[in-house]
Amino acid sequence: MFKKFSSEEVSAQNQVKASVQRKIRQSIAEEYPGLEPVLDELLPKKSALVVAKCQNHLNLVLVNDVPLFFNIRDGPYMPTLRLLHQYPNIMKKFQVDRGAIKFVLAGANIMCPGLTSPGGALDEEVEAETPVAIMAEGKQHALAIGFTKMSAKDIKSINKGIGVDNMHYLNDGLWKMERLN
Amino acid sequence: MAEKPQPVRVLYCGVCSMPAEYCEFGPDFEKCKPWLIHNAPDLYPDLIKQSNANEADKVTEQLQSTGMSSDGATPSAPKQEEVKRLPGGKIKKKEKQEVVIEKVIRNKRKCITTVKGLELFGVKLSDASKKLGKKFATGASVVKGPTEKEQIDVQGDISYDIVEFITDTWPDVPDTAIFFIEDGRKVPAA
Ligand SMILES: [Zn+2]
């Protein structure tokens, strides 16, 4: 989604009303309970949340010009990879095998066999349509943020086709946008 | 309230901006190498070895071109007779003809066996990978190793039967040229 993303695709950038800010904070707190202790620092009540509306119904949540979360329409908020790297345990994790790394970094969606091979790993509790951190065999940090198309159990049993949509990956347009000016 | 998590500090590459451990998959690993040698030597130990040996002049060249100082990485003079320039200015180290087999444990009980160096005996890796997969009834694939060289990854621990299979299938490979990596040490298979 962020393959060719750049600031040109931001169509409107608005400081949001207090009520909307509260709602965004609340959904993020619910989705990522692990972030709760640092949420006041990440999304300070005093500094304004800015929501940048982009093409394809994509919204970016920014604080001080730094993109922290994104979502599509009113889907679940997902952290940017830079934020996830800082707090790696806030999301459920899937792991792709080494062979899949280059495809993920080229923006490809994640195929089931890359998760079920000996180098891959699944968190069995994950349901369909859930944001997950995509880790890689032999690597410490996440390389992508994914959104599951199937549950972990189905990925394992069906073991064919796309298991997880690749939402955001290292070196894509969002990664390169450390700040939005 | 839960205890406040401390943010993890990730080492990002100064060249490609990804976490340094992913540079090998980045847009231009060659350009990252000088930075990695200075800033992330633990992640790519092979780079240090290479830079200390034959690729010395190439690395120094790159250090200069990226405006980095080369102190700390002043390598010994390269042995000219072992260095061969390939078209495009790449330097290729003349490699010792040997096959190196290593068992790598992944995720607790899962493991793979890596086979490096078959190509030095004129074996086509894609073909070898198919044969290995068939023989051991498992998955085998040709992958780029950490040093950008291709190797074969075979799923499962097949290290004990593999020597015989290699010498039977490719008679050009003598068993004296096959080595195992055990506890980080290279031991002859024969
Ligand atoms: Zn790099």
mmCIF file of all heavy atoms in Angstrom, chain A residues 171, chain B residues 12-33 35-36 44, ligand 1:
data_model
loop_
_atom_site.group_PDB
_atom_site.id
_atom_site.type_symbol
_atom_site.label_atom_id
_atom_site.label_comp_id
_atom_site.label_asym_id
_atom_site.label_seq_id
_atom_site.Cartn_x
_atom_site.Cartn_y
_atom_site.Cartn_z
ATOM 1 N N ASN A 171 11.566 0.236 4.178
ATOM 2 C CA ASN A 171 11.948 0.946 2.958
ATOM 3 C C ASN A 171 10.800 1.281 2.014
ATOM 4 O O ASN A 171 11.048 1.725 0.890
ATOM 5 C CB ASN A 171 13.056 0.194 2.200
ATOM 6 C CG ASN A 171 14.381 0.955 2.297
ATOM 7 O OD1 ASN A 171 14.398 2.139 2.624
ATOM 8 N ND2 ASN A 171 15.473 0.280 2.026
ATOM 9 N N TYR B 12 19.808 1.350 13.128
ATOM 10 C CA TYR B 12 19.428 1.521 11.725
ATOM 11 C C TYR B 12 20.670 1.823 10.894
ATOM 12 O O TYR B 12 21.540 2.586 11.323
ATOM 13 C CB TYR B 12 18.419 2.666 11.587
ATOM 14 C CG TYR B 12 17.062 2.363 12.201
ATOM 15 C CD1 TYR B 12 16.495 3.218 13.133
ATOM 16 C CD2 TYR B 12 16.360 1.217 11.841
ATOM 17 C CE1 TYR B 12 15.251 2.950 13.699
ATOM 18 C CE2 TYR B 12 15.123 0.943 12.399
ATOM 19 C CZ TYR B 12 14.568 1.805 13.329
ATOM 20 O OH TYR B 12 13.351 1.531 13.877
ATOM 21 N N CYS B 13 20.702 1.245 9.721
ATOM 22 C CA CYS B 13 21.858 1.441 8.837
ATOM 23 C C CYS B 13 21.921 2.896 8.376
ATOM 24 O O CYS B 13 20.913 3.472 7.976
ATOM 25 C CB CYS B 13 21.746 0.503 7.646
ATOM 26 S SG CYS B 13 22.977 0.807 6.388
ATOM 27 N N GLY B 14 23.107 3.443 8.431
ATOM 28 C CA GLY B 14 23.293 4.826 8.007
ATOM 29 C C GLY B 14 23.219 4.989 6.496
ATOM 30 O O GLY B 14 23.142 6.097 5.993
ATOM 31 N N VAL B 15 23.207 3.891 5.780
ATOM 32 C CA VAL B 15 23.175 3.980 4.315
ATOM 33 C C VAL B 15 21.772 3.707 3.771
ATOM 34 O O VAL B 15 21.180 4.532 3.098
ATOM 35 C CB VAL B 15 24.195 3.008 3.672
ATOM 36 C CG1 VAL B 15 24.167 3.120 2.160
ATOM 37 C CG2 VAL B 15 25.596 3.284 4.213
ATOM 38 N N CYS B 16 21.204 2.541 4.124
ATOM 39 C CA CYS B 16 19.913 2.184 3.528
ATOM 40 C C CYS B 16 18.745 2.448 4.473
ATOM 41 O O CYS B 16 17.601 2.280 4.078
ATOM 42 C CB CYS B 16 19.911 0.721 3.084
ATOM 43 S SG CYS B 16 19.873 -0.435 4.454
ATOM 44 N N SER B 17 19.029 2.806 5.733
ATOM 45 C CA SER B 17 18.042 3.199 6.741
ATOM 46 C C SER B 17 17.270 2.033 7.367
ATOM 47 O O SER B 17 16.503 2.236 8.290
ATOM 48 C CB SER B 17 17.043 4.241 6.203
ATOM 49 O OG SER B 17 15.909 3.608 5.622
ATOM 50 N N MET B 18 17.466 0.823 6.889
ATOM 51 C CA MET B 18 16.757 -0.310 7.490
ATOM 52 C C MET B 18 17.512 -0.764 8.741
ATOM 53 O O MET B 18 18.659 -0.390 8.938
ATOM 54 C CB MET B 18 16.679 -1.468 6.496
ATOM 55 C CG MET B 18 15.934 -1.115 5.236
ATOM 56 S SD MET B 18 15.313 -2.578 4.402
ATOM 57 C CE MET B 18 16.808 -3.254 3.750
ATOM 58 N N PRO B 19 16.874 -1.583 9.593
ATOM 59 C CA PRO B 19 17.658 -2.169 10.681
ATOM 60 C C PRO B 19 18.877 -2.874 10.073
ATOM 61 O O PRO B 19 18.742 -3.565 9.062
ATOM 62 C CB PRO B 19 16.689 -3.177 11.313
ATOM 63 C CG PRO B 19 15.331 -2.645 10.992
ATOM 64 C CD PRO B 19 15.472 -2.017 9.629
ATOM 65 N N ALA B 20 20.026 -2.681 10.687
ATOM 66 C CA ALA B 20 21.269 -3.145 10.064
ATOM 67 C C ALA B 20 21.237 -4.626 9.692
ATOM 68 O O ALA B 20 21.842 -5.039 8.711
ATOM 69 C CB ALA B 20 22.448 -2.846 10.984
ATOM 70 N N GLU B 21 20.481 -5.410 10.476
ATOM 71 C CA GLU B 21 20.444 -6.844 10.183
ATOM 72 C C GLU B 21 19.781 -7.145 8.833
ATOM 73 O O GLU B 21 19.936 -8.242 8.301
ATOM 74 C CB GLU B 21 19.709 -7.591 11.298
ATOM 75 C CG GLU B 21 18.283 -7.095 11.504
ATOM 76 C CD GLU B 21 17.522 -7.873 12.568
ATOM 77 O OE1 GLU B 21 18.071 -8.821 13.139
ATOM 78 O OE2 GLU B 21 16.352 -7.515 12.829
ATOM 79 N N TYR B 22 19.051 -6.180 8.283
ATOM 80 C CA TYR B 22 18.391 -6.422 6.991
ATOM 81 C C TYR B 22 19.175 -5.883 5.788
ATOM 82 O O TYR B 22 18.732 -6.032 4.654
ATOM 83 C CB TYR B 22 16.985 -5.794 6.983
ATOM 84 C CG TYR B 22 15.980 -6.591 7.783
ATOM 85 C CD1 TYR B 22 15.567 -6.161 9.030
ATOM 86 C CD2 TYR B 22 15.470 -7.787 7.282
ATOM 87 C CE1 TYR B 22 14.657 -6.898 9.783
ATOM 88 C CE2 TYR B 22 14.565 -8.524 8.015
ATOM 89 C CZ TYR B 22 14.154 -8.080 9.265
ATOM 90 O OH TYR B 22 13.254 -8.812 9.990
ATOM 91 N N CYS B 23 20.329 -5.272 6.032
ATOM 92 C CA CYS B 23 21.095 -4.697 4.917
ATOM 93 C C CYS B 23 21.364 -5.728 3.828
ATOM 94 O O CYS B 23 21.343 -5.402 2.645
ATOM 95 C CB CYS B 23 22.438 -4.167 5.403
ATOM 96 S SG CYS B 23 22.280 -2.648 6.335
ATOM 97 N N GLU B 24 21.606 -6.967 4.245
ATOM 98 C CA GLU B 24 21.931 -8.002 3.252
ATOM 99 C C GLU B 24 20.795 -8.192 2.258
ATOM 100 O O GLU B 24 20.994 -8.719 1.172
ATOM 101 C CB GLU B 24 22.268 -9.326 3.944
ATOM 102 C CG GLU B 24 21.172 -9.807 4.863
ATOM 103 C CD GLU B 24 21.457 -11.179 5.480
ATOM 104 O OE1 GLU B 24 21.956 -12.051 4.766
ATOM 105 O OE2 GLU B 24 21.150 -11.361 6.674
ATOM 106 N N PHE B 25 19.591 -7.766 2.632
ATOM 107 C CA PHE B 25 18.445 -7.865 1.718
ATOM 108 C C PHE B 25 18.094 -6.505 1.120
ATOM 109 O O PHE B 25 17.076 -6.366 0.463
ATOM 110 C CB PHE B 25 17.216 -8.395 2.463
ATOM 111 C CG PHE B 25 17.364 -9.823 2.904
ATOM 112 C CD1 PHE B 25 17.706 -10.121 4.214
ATOM 113 C CD2 PHE B 25 17.172 -10.855 2.011
ATOM 114 C CE1 PHE B 25 17.843 -11.437 4.622
ATOM 115 C CE2 PHE B 25 17.308 -12.177 2.410
ATOM 116 C CZ PHE B 25 17.650 -12.472 3.717
ATOM 117 N N GLY B 26 18.908 -5.517 1.410
ATOM 118 C CA GLY B 26 18.575 -4.147 1.016
ATOM 119 C C GLY B 26 18.836 -3.872 -0.448
ATOM 120 O O GLY B 26 19.280 -4.748 -1.188
ATOM 121 N N PRO B 27 18.548 -2.644 -0.848
ATOM 122 C CA PRO B 27 18.687 -2.284 -2.256
ATOM 123 C C PRO B 27 20.137 -2.373 -2.732
ATOM 124 O O PRO B 27 20.389 -2.703 -3.881
ATOM 125 C CB PRO B 27 18.185 -0.838 -2.315
ATOM 126 C CG PRO B 27 18.169 -0.353 -0.901
ATOM 127 C CD PRO B 27 18.029 -1.546 -0.019
ATOM 128 N N ASP B 28 21.081 -2.113 -1.871
ATOM 129 C CA ASP B 28 22.476 -2.168 -2.303
ATOM 130 C C ASP B 28 23.384 -2.521 -1.127
ATOM 131 O O ASP B 28 23.932 -1.660 -0.459
ATOM 132 C CB ASP B 28 22.883 -0.820 -2.917
ATOM 133 C CG ASP B 28 24.150 -0.972 -3.741
ATOM 134 O OD1 ASP B 28 24.875 -1.973 -3.557
ATOM 135 O OD2 ASP B 28 24.399 -0.084 -4.583
ATOM 136 N N PHE B 29 23.497 -3.811 -0.895
ATOM 137 C CA PHE B 29 24.273 -4.310 0.240
ATOM 138 C C PHE B 29 25.723 -3.837 0.158
ATOM 139 O O PHE B 29 26.334 -3.490 1.166
ATOM 140 C CB PHE B 29 24.198 -5.842 0.251
ATOM 141 C CG PHE B 29 24.790 -6.494 1.470
ATOM 142 C CD1 PHE B 29 24.762 -5.877 2.707
ATOM 143 C CD2 PHE B 29 25.360 -7.765 1.375
ATOM 144 C CE1 PHE B 29 25.299 -6.498 3.836
ATOM 145 C CE2 PHE B 29 25.900 -8.389 2.485
ATOM 146 C CZ PHE B 29 25.872 -7.756 3.721
ATOM 147 N N GLU B 30 26.245 -3.793 -1.087
ATOM 148 C CA GLU B 30 27.645 -3.379 -1.251
ATOM 149 C C GLU B 30 27.897 -2.012 -0.621
ATOM 150 O O GLU B 30 28.900 -1.786 0.025
ATOM 151 C CB GLU B 30 28.010 -3.328 -2.738
ATOM 152 C CG GLU B 30 28.144 -4.699 -3.393
ATOM 153 C CD GLU B 30 29.189 -5.585 -2.721
ATOM 154 O OE1 GLU B 30 30.278 -5.072 -2.412
ATOM 155 O OE2 GLU B 30 28.901 -6.770 -2.486
ATOM 156 N N LYS B 31 26.937 -1.105 -0.832
ATOM 157 C CA LYS B 31 27.126 0.247 -0.310
ATOM 158 C C LYS B 31 27.026 0.285 1.210
ATOM 159 O O LYS B 31 27.592 1.152 1.854
ATOM 160 C CB LYS B 31 26.076 1.197 -0.915
ATOM 161 C CG LYS B 31 26.444 1.652 -2.297
ATOM 162 C CD LYS B 31 25.587 2.846 -2.715
ATOM 163 C CE LYS B 31 25.826 3.172 -4.175
ATOM 164 N NZ LYS B 31 24.564 3.504 -4.863
ATOM 165 N N CYS B 32 26.250 -0.634 1.771
ATOM 166 C CA CYS B 32 26.102 -0.655 3.235
ATOM 167 C C CYS B 32 27.340 -1.214 3.913
ATOM 168 O O CYS B 32 27.602 -0.909 5.072
ATOM 169 C CB CYS B 32 24.916 -1.531 3.638
ATOM 170 S SG CYS B 32 23.329 -0.965 3.039
ATOM 171 N N LYS B 33 28.091 -2.049 3.192
ATOM 172 C CA LYS B 33 29.166 -2.805 3.838
ATOM 173 C C LYS B 33 30.155 -1.952 4.626
ATOM 174 O O LYS B 33 30.453 -2.281 5.769
ATOM 175 C CB LYS B 33 29.882 -3.688 2.810
ATOM 176 C CG LYS B 33 29.089 -4.943 2.479
ATOM 177 C CD LYS B 33 29.800 -5.797 1.452
ATOM 178 C CE LYS B 33 28.986 -7.061 1.176
ATOM 179 N NZ LYS B 33 29.587 -7.847 0.097
ATOM 180 N N TRP B 35 29.793 0.854 6.055
ATOM 181 C CA TRP B 35 29.123 1.358 7.260
ATOM 182 C C TRP B 35 28.979 0.232 8.280
ATOM 183 O O TRP B 35 29.219 0.418 9.464
ATOM 184 C CB TRP B 35 27.742 1.928 6.889
ATOM 185 C CG TRP B 35 27.067 2.628 8.031
ATOM 186 C CD1 TRP B 35 27.128 3.962 8.329
ATOM 187 C CD2 TRP B 35 26.235 2.025 9.041
ATOM 188 N NE1 TRP B 35 26.396 4.216 9.455
ATOM 189 C CE2 TRP B 35 25.840 3.066 9.918
ATOM 190 C CE3 TRP B 35 25.801 0.726 9.292
ATOM 191 C CZ2 TRP B 35 25.014 2.836 11.030
ATOM 192 C CZ3 TRP B 35 24.988 0.502 10.393
ATOM 193 C CH2 TRP B 35 24.605 1.545 11.251
ATOM 194 N N LEU B 36 28.595 -0.929 7.797
ATOM 195 C CA LEU B 36 28.372 -2.071 8.688
ATOM 196 C C LEU B 36 29.673 -2.491 9.379
ATOM 197 O O LEU B 36 29.685 -2.821 10.559
ATOM 198 C CB LEU B 36 27.803 -3.252 7.901
ATOM 199 C CG LEU B 36 26.373 -3.058 7.398
ATOM 200 C CD1 LEU B 36 26.004 -4.155 6.423
ATOM 201 C CD2 LEU B 36 25.387 -3.040 8.564
ATOM 202 N N TYR B 44 27.592 -8.908 11.016
ATOM 203 C CA TYR B 44 28.123 -9.513 9.792
ATOM 204 C C TYR B 44 29.600 -9.859 9.979
ATOM 205 O O TYR B 44 30.466 -9.234 9.372
ATOM 206 C CB TYR B 44 27.963 -8.556 8.604
ATOM 207 C CG TYR B 44 26.525 -8.235 8.271
ATOM 208 C CD1 TYR B 44 25.906 -7.102 8.776
ATOM 209 C CD2 TYR B 44 25.784 -9.083 7.455
ATOM 210 C CE1 TYR B 44 24.578 -6.810 8.485
ATOM 211 C CE2 TYR B 44 24.470 -8.802 7.163
ATOM 212 C CZ TYR B 44 23.869 -7.668 7.666
ATOM 213 O OH TYR B 44 22.572 -7.376 7.365
HETATM 214 ZN ZN ZN C 1 22.156 -0.855 5.013
#
